[in-house]
Amino acid sequence: MTRVRESVIAGARGLFLSVIMLAGSITLFVLSVLSIAFITLGIGVFTTPLVLTGVRKWADLRRAQAGAWSDVHIPRPYRPFPADLRRGVTGQVERTSLLLKDPATWRDLQWLLVDMTAGYVTVIFAPALLLYPLYGYVLALGVWKPIYDAGGGEWYGFIHVTSQTDANMAALLGTALGVVGIFSSPAILRAHFLLTRSLLAPTVSMRERELALRVDRLTETRHDAVDSSAAELRRIERDLHDGAQARLVAMGMDLGTIEAMIEKNPAKAKELIAKARQNSGEALTELRDLVRGIHPPVLAERGLGDAVKALALRLPVRTDVDVELLGRADEPVEAAAYFAVSEALTNTIKHAGADRVWVDIHHAQGMLRIAVTDNGKGGASIGAGSGLSGIERRLGTFDGVLAVSSPAGGPTMVTMEIPCELS
Amino acid sequence: MRVVLAEDLFLLRDGLVRMLEAFDFEIAAAVETGPELTKALAELEPDDDAVAIVDVRLPPSHTDEGLQCALAARRARPGLPVLVLSQHVEQLYARELLADGNGGVGYLLKDRVFDADQFIDAVRRVASGGTAMDPQVIQQLLSRRSADQPLGKLTPREREVLELMAQGRSNAAIAGELVVTERAIAKHTSNIFGKLDLSVSDDDNRRVLAVLAYLDQER
């Protein structure tokens, strides 16, 4: 019974597909060809991105159907647009040329052509094998006679229906076709989606290109990581050298002087002892600040959530921190996330003119998600030299991403995502 | 007065033991890990007059094990005086210590042992049910609130007094620190309580809690 249900559903889906694909694929194909042809006239520059985006959406819909209906997974091969795409006419030209340079675009058009022909022929069998038998029964129930009398030579399949016996044969054939249909319509639908996949999935060369792009990106983020950790080491070295180390040397000198004068000039010695004690206290403070800059103690002790809460307590602006973490991320990820939040908050305090800040930290589906929202004046952007690009670089090392929504007038929302597992 | 001391760095533990003994404290136990601390605290007699001096970060976890042990011990034995020492101070931890409102808690930077007299004073205050908050914690709170109206109404002198009061000092101690008479301090404190809308209380510890609650409000 479930088999019958499944095949009826597959038949209905096939029928639905055959209707929408004729309309969709033919229209989009014609529009694409026209639009690309009109590029030379100038109009195409404006219509092509629009039409091709439509084609991609259409292809995405069919990819989704393939996954949902026949468990055929079809990956997307499209190249991403660069983030710094310009607006206006130049942007449109850039976008058009990027789209036309993407081999996936041409594969899409090829697919539209195949889809409206071979794709249609395959998919139409699924409903046809279920519906055609019904017509056989209709003929056998007597409908053959008026058609025959009216001079129509009705054929059912390969049977020329001229008598009740012929009509009964037609019903029999219909039954056979129906049985075949019930057993094969899910397979037919699947075959159609496999055909779709052969055209819509990335080819080997596309995948290689994707890998090459990923390698480029990894090289870049690794470069950034090495650069920033080298800079960090230089800063630590300088801070130690100029700060704590110098104070300890001064302390040693003072102690030496004290040793020499403790009997001759006890008052002066006492003064120097006080100075030495003060120096050791200041050396400690400097070391403590340095440690906080390298790895905040609360982060080590309590993890990301409490470290951000502790950070919020030190801010001059009311900051609400909402944490939902069932465990701790790897230490480097925690540190990156902490410093990213810390930089985002510093930016907010310095530039946003906000009087409330909300930090939301949670983990879902293998992603650590952090949102820093303020009620300030907005207008923040990820540009060269801004603190936000620093955060972007920091997160990039962990394949994390940063998104900023900051319309002029506010509010600003900085969202960060880092793929990671909690333990 | 007996002391249970938990500190994992040998040099510091040794120094503390020597300093405490010099000021006539009896060392009931000097341990270096969290589990040892828990055991030492559990072994105290119910009527034992003891104070726990605990480093926040202890082995084996090297996280905030010391703080957690101390808080657990205070739940099992309400009012057990606990002085927490830390390499760094965090308001987050100070709040957790003050949360039960029982008093007898302290939270100090380890550097405070440089000034033996002040440190011992803090230990005695905590042991007698008072409070000892590190000036750094108080300064963080005050600077956060500096933009707020009621604190803005305080004179610089009153702010100084408020800072010392929030650390847990008595009027006499504040008068000593600022080199003025106790009566002058009493006048300042009543002005502060008035400007900040705090209820007046003779009890040193309640006074601190009131100040901290005020500095902390709106969170």
Side-chain angles (χ1 to χ4, degrees):
Chain A
M1 216 44 220
T2 48
R3 179 172 283 274
V4 174
R5 235 189 86 210
E6 265 173 35
S7 57
V8 169
I9 292 174
R13 284 170 176 169
L15 190 61
F16 173 71
L17 272 179
S18 66
V19 173
I20 60 161
M21 71 195 268
L22 270 194
S25 293
I26 293 177
T27 317
L28 283 167
F29 183 74
V30 171
L31 283 179
S32 308
V33 171
L34 284 179
S35 181
I36 292 171
F38 281 154
I39 288 179
T40 45
L41 296 178
I43 311 166
V45 172
F46 296 95
T47 53
T48 304
L50 215 69
V51 173
L52 289 181
T53 311
V55 171
R56 287 179 177 195
K57 285 215 172 107
W58 175 237
D60 281 343
L61 177 74
R62 301 290 293 277
R63 284 189 182 92
Q65 283 171 340
W69 292 354
S70 291
D71 213 17
V72 176
H73 180 66
I74 310 176
R76 300 182 84 232
Y78 309 119
R79 290 179 194 167
F81 283 124
D84 54 354
L85 210 57
R86 274 167 286 180
R87 286 159 196 237
V89 179
T90 40
Q92 283 290 350
V93 174
E94 268 182 77
R95 204 165 288 143
T96 307
S97 90
L98 282 170
L99 278 167
L100 293 184
K101 274 188 207 145
D102 190 344
T105 303
W106 301 102
R107 300 246 314 156
D108 276 357
L109 295 181
Q110 207 181 334
W111 164 70
L112 287 176
L113 205 58
V114 173
D115 191 48
M116 67 176 96
T117 51
Y120 180 77
V121 171
T122 46
V123 82
I124 199 66
F125 269 104
L129 283 174
L130 295 172
L131 293 174
Y132 199 48
L134 298 179
Y135 184 53
Y137 294 127
V138 170
L139 286 178
L141 284 173
V143 176
W144 67 274
K145 203 166 166 28
I147 300 176
Y148 181 66
D149 289 349
E154 184 59 16
W155 286 83
Y156 184 81
F158 52 82
I159 301 166
H160 192 191
V161 184
T162 54
S163 66
Q164 183 62 41
T165 323
D166 290 340
N168 288 346
M169 289 294 286
L172 201 66
L173 177 60
T175 311
L177 287 176
V179 170
V180 173
I182 284 168
F183 279 93
S184 62
S185 70
I188 292 170
L189 197 65
R190 195 176 152 80
H192 166 75
F193 283 130
L194 288 176
L195 177 69
T196 309
R197 180 168 73 181
S198 72
L199 287 151
L200 282 187
T203 61
V204 174
S205 69
M206 282 178 185
R207 234 173 272 143
E208 273 169 4
R209 214 196 115 76
E210 208 174 283
L211 279 177
L213 281 175
R214 184 157 166 72
V215 170
D216 280 353
R217 181 166 158 68
L218 286 176
T219 313
E220 194 182 308
T221 54
R222 187 185 59 180
H223 194 76
D224 282 347
V226 171
D227 258 10
S228 64
S229 68
E232 190 80 336
L233 277 177
R234 272 197 304 279
R235 181 183 68 78
I236 294 167
E237 190 272 339
R238 201 175 47 234
D239 284 357
L240 276 175
H241 189 78
D242 298 348
Q245 212 177 336
R247 290 197 187 280
L248 289 174
V249 170
M251 238 171 79
M253 277 174 5
D254 283 345
L255 285 174
T257 320
I258 292 163
E259 206 171 25
M261 66 173 44
I262 196 154
E263 268 146 28
K264 283 186 289 181
N265 191 349
K268 182 75 185 161
K270 213 171 164 188
E271 199 179 297
L272 281 176
I273 287 174
K275 215 174 112 199
R277 200 178 65 180
Q278 195 190 339
N279 263 329
S280 79
E282 273 158 21
L284 264 179
T285 312
E286 270 159 20
L287 283 174
R288 190 174 297 121
D289 290 346
L290 198 62
V291 165
R292 218 195 267 286
I294 300 169
H295 195 83
V298 200
L299 187 62
E301 288 162 6
R302 295 279 185 94
L304 182 62
D306 277 356
V308 173
K309 280 182 190 162
L311 179 65
L313 287 172
R314 289 198 300 272
L315 297 179
V317 171
R318 181 172 169 193
T319 307
D320 294 304
V321 183
D322 192 22
V323 181
E324 224 175 285
L325 291 179
L326 301 164
R328 290 184 63 169
D330 281 348
E331 213 176 295
V333 175
E334 262 193 345
Y338 174 84
F339 284 111
V341 174
S342 163
E343 272 172 59
L345 286 170
T346 311
N347 270 342
T348 304
I349 305 298
K350 266 200 212 149
H351 307 297
D355 59 11
R356 291 271 319 249
V357 184
W358 293 268
V359 184
D360 178 57
I361 304 176
H362 69 274
H363 185 272
Q365 287 137 30
M367 281 281 180
L368 178 66
R369 288 201 176 83
I370 305 172
V372 179
T373 315
D374 66 57
N375 63 354
K377 61 180 192 292
S381 67
I382 312 179
S386 89
L388 288 170
S389 7
I391 302 179
E392 199 174 31
R393 268 206 307 281
R394 204 186 268 284
L395 297 179
T397 321
F398 297 90
D399 276 344
V401 289
L402 173 79
V404 179
S405 149
S406 183
T412 299
M413 184 168 177
V414 177
T415 321
M416 303 167 223
E417 270 191 4
I418 311 174
C420 69
E421 293 304 322
L422 298 185
S423 57
Chain B
M1 178 71 57
R2 285 153 62 79
V3 175
V4 174
L5 179 68
E7 164 61 61
D8 58 323
L9 294 178
F10 169 77
L11 278 175
L12 212 53
R13 186 170 68 239
D14 201 44
L16 278 166
V17 166
R18 253 184 286 120
M19 180 193 279
L20 288 163
E21 278 174 349
F23 283 88
D24 293 330
F25 285 91
E26 182 193 335
I27 305 297
V31 300
E32 59 174 302
T33 69
E36 282 171 16
L37 169 66
T38 306
K39 192 160 153 273
L41 289 173
E43 276 167 4
L44 288 174
E45 300 292 320
D47 55 348
D48 213 342
D49 185 17
V51 54
I53 301 178
V54 177
D55 183 8
V56 168
R57 204 185 283 205
L58 285 182
S61 65
H62 284 287
T63 59
D64 58 347
E65 187 143 356
L67 180 65
Q68 301 300 349
C69 287
L71 289 172
R74 260 174 81 84
R75 279 193 291 276
R77 189 181 160 124
L80 170 75
V82 170
L83 176 61
V84 172
L85 296 181
S86 178
Q87 208 66 256
H88 61 102
V89 292
E90 282 296 344
Q91 284 182 48
L92 198 69
Y93 295 175
R95 278 151 207 274
E96 286 172 0
L97 274 166
L98 288 166
D100 67 4
N102 260 335
V105 288
Y107 182 53
L108 295 180
L109 264 182
K110 281 188 181 169
D111 318 10
R112 302 300 163 207
V113 299
F114 282 179
D115 191 329
D117 287 329
Q118 271 199 32
F119 178 71
I120 293 298
D121 176 52
V123 177
R124 292 217 170 98
R125 235 183 307 146
V126 170
S128 60
T131 315
M133 281 296 126
D134 199 275
Q136 277 212 357
V137 176
I138 306 303
Q139 266 162 17
Q140 278 178 18
L141 279 171
L142 280 172
S143 63
R144 262 181 65 81
R145 295 281 144 234
S146 60
D148 286 12
Q149 272 311 304
L151 276 182
K153 284 187 275 184
L154 298 184
T155 65
R157 191 52 152 192
E158 282 166 357
R159 282 179 68 96
E160 275 178 282
V161 174
L162 175 66
E163 250 184 74
L164 292 165
M165 194 159 63
Q167 288 169 25
R169 309 289 189 86
S170 67
N171 277 4
I174 299 173
E177 175 104 15
L178 299 180
V179 208
V180 290
T181 62
E182 226 180 304
R183 262 195 45 214
I185 297 300
K187 213 178 113 227
H188 283 314
T189 50
S190 70
N191 282 346
I192 294 168
F193 284 141
K195 285 183 186 174
L196 301 188
D197 247 351
L198 290 169
S199 59
V200 185
S201 165
D202 291 335
D203 183 351
D204 273 353
N205 179 46
R206 294 178 69 99
R207 202 167 77 151
V208 172
L209 290 180
V211 173
L212 288 174
Y214 167 76
L215 293 173
D216 216 22
Q217 68 189 227
E218 285 179 42
R219 297 234 34 117

